[in-house]
Amino acid sequence: MPELPAGLSVLPVAGLPEFGPGDDLAAAVAAAAPWLADDDVVVVTSKVVSKVEGRLVRIAPGTDREAARQRAIDGETVRTVARRGPLKIVQTPQGWVVAAAGIDASNVASDTLVLLPEDGDASARRLRTRLRELAGVDVAVVVSDTFGRTWREGLTDVAVGSAGIAALDDHRGAVDAHGNRLETTRVAVVDELASAADLVKGKLAGVPVAVVRGLPPRRPAEDADDGTRPLVRLPADDLFPYGTRDLVGSRAPAAGLVPRRGEREAAAAAFRVASTALPEFPVVLRHGGEGDGVVDVHLPDAVTTTSALNAGALVGAAIVQLHAEGWATRWEPVATAGGTSLVGRLWLGRPGS
């Protein structure tokens, strides 16, 4: 029989108990998998990590579970990205953008909700250290959770914590076989490990831990292990910061603005887009020097009730467009309409600290 090529093995860790607050997860894994070896990657479902760390919400008798879940979601929400009915896509304190703040109501008692680990990277580091103490092995650890995916049906597991392994494999600057230099390719290795492990863990099999064997070691230095932080996309790089229902609500006036280059071009482009709804309604934009962040909005003729209403609709649409492009704004209308062509002053820039 021909010899099989070398590759990866994904091994379930069977026989683990039901976990609760304060349980020694590492001891249970070490006992159930005495075959653990150096350079293995231990992938642990975030739910059991949250259980042993006490990241649970107890629902009082007689309390509506869905109402309690919505309150828990609000408590774990930094920013609402999009919503439709009761479904919310939110950003969590950990930086993840995920449905329902990653709060789990499945595979848990009916009077309990499970939150994401407060710091999945710290959880992974503790588990890795404890496994080294108990089993004498040097393994990497990935904490996984189930996420939906933009524009694709179906769920997959991704990493919400890691230790002892570089989260991203950066190929930027490398040259492919055809001589093309790679400009943007970075592979989310820990996400791939999380989804591979889920093939043997499953959602209903009661197997919360799996081991991936055969991956060449990719250990960062202990003092340079950033865990899953490199996976969090920074706001400046996010092309989809708002859902369709939430963009208008997001345009609250900014209390403090920091100048940002290009405000004149941005304001002009925003008003061009906004004016498509009112093609016969002209406005005049006047601005000072580049970088002052101020654009005055004038009407060609004296202000009337009708033109003021049209100007309001136009300015509102322009502000929505500016926020969609990542600008922060503050609109200051004139104190008294009439007698002048000026209807207001638009300040724009980026949010101040």
Side-chain angles (χ1 to χ4, degrees), residues 137-165:
V137 292
D138 188 5
V139 298
V141 173
V142 171
V143 179
S144 69
D145 195 74
T146 303
F147 279 24
R149 300 167 300 157
T150 309
W151 300 304
R152 295 179 72 89
E153 293 291 346
L155 306 170
T156 189
D157 269 28
V158 300
V160 295
S162 67
I165 184 170

Short mmCIF file of all heavy atoms in Angstrom, two decimals, residues 137-165:
data_model
loop_
_atom_site.label_atom_id
_atom_site.label_comp_id
_atom_site.label_asym_id
_atom_site.label_seq_id
_atom_site.Cartn_x
_atom_site.Cartn_y
_atom_site.Cartn_z
N VAL A 137 3.67 19.30 28.47
CA VAL A 137 3.70 19.48 27.02
C VAL A 137 3.64 20.96 26.68
O VAL A 137 3.04 21.76 27.41
CB VAL A 137 2.53 18.74 26.34
CG1 VAL A 137 2.72 17.23 26.45
CG2 VAL A 137 1.19 19.16 26.92
N ASP A 138 4.26 21.31 25.57
CA ASP A 138 4.26 22.69 25.08
C ASP A 138 3.31 22.75 23.90
O ASP A 138 3.67 22.41 22.77
CB ASP A 138 5.67 23.09 24.67
CG ASP A 138 5.76 24.58 24.32
OD1 ASP A 138 4.75 25.28 24.50
OD2 ASP A 138 6.84 25.00 23.87
N VAL A 139 2.08 23.16 24.16
CA VAL A 139 1.05 23.20 23.13
C VAL A 139 0.61 24.64 22.90
O VAL A 139 0.82 25.52 23.74
CB VAL A 139 -0.17 22.34 23.52
CG1 VAL A 139 0.22 20.88 23.68
CG2 VAL A 139 -0.82 22.88 24.79
N ALA A 140 -0.01 24.87 21.75
CA ALA A 140 -0.72 26.12 21.51
C ALA A 140 -2.18 25.90 21.88
O ALA A 140 -2.67 24.77 21.88
CB ALA A 140 -0.59 26.55 20.06
N VAL A 141 -2.89 26.99 22.18
CA VAL A 141 -4.30 26.90 22.55
C VAL A 141 -5.09 27.91 21.74
O VAL A 141 -4.68 29.07 21.59
CB VAL A 141 -4.51 27.16 24.06
CG1 VAL A 141 -6.00 27.22 24.39
CG2 VAL A 141 -3.84 26.07 24.88
N VAL A 142 -6.22 27.45 21.21
CA VAL A 142 -7.16 28.33 20.50
C VAL A 142 -8.52 28.19 21.17
O VAL A 142 -8.99 27.07 21.41
CB VAL A 142 -7.27 27.95 19.00
CG1 VAL A 142 -8.41 28.73 18.33
CG2 VAL A 142 -5.96 28.22 18.29
N VAL A 143 -9.13 29.31 21.52
CA VAL A 143 -10.50 29.34 22.04
C VAL A 143 -11.41 29.71 20.88
O VAL A 143 -11.21 30.74 20.22
CB VAL A 143 -10.64 30.35 23.19
CG1 VAL A 143 -12.08 30.38 23.69
CG2 VAL A 143 -9.69 30.02 24.32
N SER A 144 -12.40 28.87 20.60
CA SER A 144 -13.22 29.05 19.40
C SER A 144 -14.66 29.38 19.75
O SER A 144 -15.16 29.01 20.81
CB SER A 144 -13.18 27.79 18.54
OG SER A 144 -13.86 26.72 19.18
N ASP A 145 -15.30 30.07 18.83
CA ASP A 145 -16.74 30.35 18.96
C ASP A 145 -17.35 30.32 17.57
O ASP A 145 -16.65 30.46 16.56
CB ASP A 145 -16.98 31.70 19.63
CG ASP A 145 -18.42 31.86 20.10
OD1 ASP A 145 -18.77 31.22 21.11
OD2 ASP A 145 -19.18 32.58 19.45
N THR A 146 -18.66 30.15 17.52
CA THR A 146 -19.36 30.05 16.25
C THR A 146 -19.86 31.42 15.81
O THR A 146 -20.60 32.08 16.55
CB THR A 146 -20.54 29.08 16.37
OG1 THR A 146 -20.06 27.80 16.81
CG2 THR A 146 -21.24 28.91 15.03
N PHE A 147 -19.46 31.85 14.62
CA PHE A 147 -19.86 33.13 14.06
C PHE A 147 -20.56 32.91 12.73
O PHE A 147 -20.28 31.94 12.01
CB PHE A 147 -18.64 34.03 13.80
CG PHE A 147 -18.10 34.76 15.00
CD1 PHE A 147 -18.30 34.29 16.29
CD2 PHE A 147 -17.36 35.91 14.83
CE1 PHE A 147 -17.78 34.96 17.39
CE2 PHE A 147 -16.83 36.59 15.92
CZ PHE A 147 -17.04 36.12 17.20
N GLY A 148 -21.46 33.83 12.39
CA GLY A 148 -21.96 33.91 11.03
C GLY A 148 -20.93 34.60 10.15
O GLY A 148 -19.92 35.11 10.63
N ARG A 149 -21.20 34.62 8.85
CA ARG A 149 -20.24 35.20 7.91
C ARG A 149 -20.96 36.16 6.97
O ARG A 149 -22.04 35.85 6.47
CB ARG A 149 -19.55 34.10 7.11
CG ARG A 149 -18.78 33.11 7.97
CD ARG A 149 -18.38 31.88 7.20
NE ARG A 149 -19.54 31.20 6.68
CZ ARG A 149 -19.53 30.37 5.63
NH1 ARG A 149 -18.40 30.15 5.00
NH2 ARG A 149 -20.63 29.77 5.24
N THR A 150 -20.35 37.29 6.74
CA THR A 150 -20.95 38.30 5.88
C THR A 150 -21.17 37.75 4.48
O THR A 150 -20.26 37.20 3.87
CB THR A 150 -20.04 39.54 5.81
OG1 THR A 150 -19.71 39.95 7.13
CG2 THR A 150 -20.74 40.67 5.09
N TRP A 151 -22.40 37.91 3.99
CA TRP A 151 -22.80 37.55 2.63
C TRP A 151 -22.74 36.05 2.33
O TRP A 151 -22.79 35.65 1.19
CB TRP A 151 -21.97 38.30 1.57
CG TRP A 151 -22.11 39.78 1.68
CD1 TRP A 151 -23.27 40.50 1.64
CD2 TRP A 151 -21.07 40.73 1.87
NE1 TRP A 151 -23.01 41.83 1.81
CE2 TRP A 151 -21.67 42.01 1.94
CE3 TRP A 151 -19.70 40.63 1.98
CZ2 TRP A 151 -20.94 43.17 2.11
CZ3 TRP A 151 -18.96 41.78 2.14
CH2 TRP A 151 -19.59 43.03 2.20
N ARG A 152 -22.62 35.23 3.37
CA ARG A 152 -22.62 33.78 3.15
C ARG A 152 -23.53 33.12 4.18
O ARG A 152 -23.50 33.49 5.36
CB ARG A 152 -21.20 33.20 3.26
CG ARG A 152 -20.26 33.70 2.19
CD ARG A 152 -18.87 33.11 2.36
NE ARG A 152 -18.83 31.70 2.00
CZ ARG A 152 -18.59 31.24 0.78
NH1 ARG A 152 -18.38 32.10 -0.21
NH2 ARG A 152 -18.54 29.95 0.54
N GLU A 153 -24.32 32.16 3.73
CA GLU A 153 -25.15 31.40 4.66
C GLU A 153 -24.29 30.41 5.43
O GLU A 153 -23.22 30.02 4.98
CB GLU A 153 -26.25 30.65 3.89
CG GLU A 153 -27.27 31.54 3.23
CD GLU A 153 -28.17 32.26 4.22
OE1 GLU A 153 -28.17 31.87 5.42
OE2 GLU A 153 -28.85 33.22 3.82
N GLY A 154 -24.79 29.98 6.57
CA GLY A 154 -24.08 28.97 7.35
C GLY A 154 -23.12 29.58 8.35
O GLY A 154 -22.68 30.73 8.22
N LEU A 155 -22.82 28.79 9.36
CA LEU A 155 -21.93 29.22 10.44
C LEU A 155 -20.60 28.50 10.34
O LEU A 155 -20.49 27.44 9.73
CB LEU A 155 -22.57 28.90 11.79
CG LEU A 155 -23.98 29.45 12.04
CD1 LEU A 155 -24.56 28.84 13.31
CD2 LEU A 155 -23.96 30.95 12.12
N THR A 156 -19.60 29.04 10.98
CA THR A 156 -18.31 28.37 11.11
C THR A 156 -17.68 28.82 12.41
O THR A 156 -18.05 29.87 12.96
CB THR A 156 -17.39 28.67 9.92
OG1 THR A 156 -16.23 27.83 9.99
CG2 THR A 156 -16.95 30.13 9.92
N ASP A 157 -16.76 28.03 12.93
CA ASP A 157 -16.06 28.43 14.14
C ASP A 157 -14.86 29.30 13.79
O ASP A 157 -14.16 29.06 12.80
CB ASP A 157 -15.59 27.20 14.92
CG ASP A 157 -16.62 26.75 15.94
OD1 ASP A 157 -17.83 26.99 15.69
OD2 ASP A 157 -16.25 26.17 16.97
N VAL A 158 -14.63 30.31 14.64
CA VAL A 158 -13.48 31.20 14.49
C VAL A 158 -12.82 31.31 15.86
O VAL A 158 -13.37 30.90 16.89
CB VAL A 158 -13.88 32.59 13.98
CG1 VAL A 158 -14.56 32.50 12.63
CG2 VAL A 158 -14.80 33.30 14.98
N ALA A 159 -11.65 31.89 15.88
CA ALA A 159 -10.90 32.05 17.12
C ALA A 159 -11.31 33.34 17.83
O ALA A 159 -11.35 34.40 17.21
CB ALA A 159 -9.40 32.05 16.86
N VAL A 160 -11.61 33.23 19.13
CA VAL A 160 -11.84 34.42 19.96
C VAL A 160 -10.79 34.52 21.06
O VAL A 160 -10.86 35.38 21.93
CB VAL A 160 -13.26 34.40 20.57
CG1 VAL A 160 -14.31 34.51 19.48
CG2 VAL A 160 -13.48 33.16 21.43
N GLY A 161 -9.81 33.64 20.99
CA GLY A 161 -8.69 33.67 21.92
C GLY A 161 -7.62 32.72 21.43
O GLY A 161 -7.92 31.71 20.79
N SER A 162 -6.35 33.04 21.67
CA SER A 162 -5.28 32.14 21.27
C SER A 162 -4.03 32.45 22.08
O SER A 162 -3.86 33.57 22.60
CB SER A 162 -4.97 32.23 19.77
OG SER A 162 -4.42 33.49 19.43
N ALA A 163 -3.17 31.46 22.18
CA ALA A 163 -1.89 31.63 22.87
C ALA A 163 -0.91 30.60 22.32
O ALA A 163 -1.29 29.47 22.01
CB ALA A 163 -2.05 31.46 24.38
N GLY A 164 0.35 31.01 22.17
CA GLY A 164 1.37 30.10 21.69
C GLY A 164 1.37 29.88 20.21
O GLY A 164 2.06 28.97 19.71
N ILE A 165 0.65 30.71 19.47
CA ILE A 165 0.60 30.58 18.01
C ILE A 165 0.29 31.94 17.41
O ILE A 165 -0.52 32.71 17.96
CB ILE A 165 -0.47 29.54 17.59
CG1 ILE A 165 -0.45 29.34 16.07
CG2 ILE A 165 -1.86 29.92 18.08
CD1 ILE A 165 -1.31 28.15 15.61
#
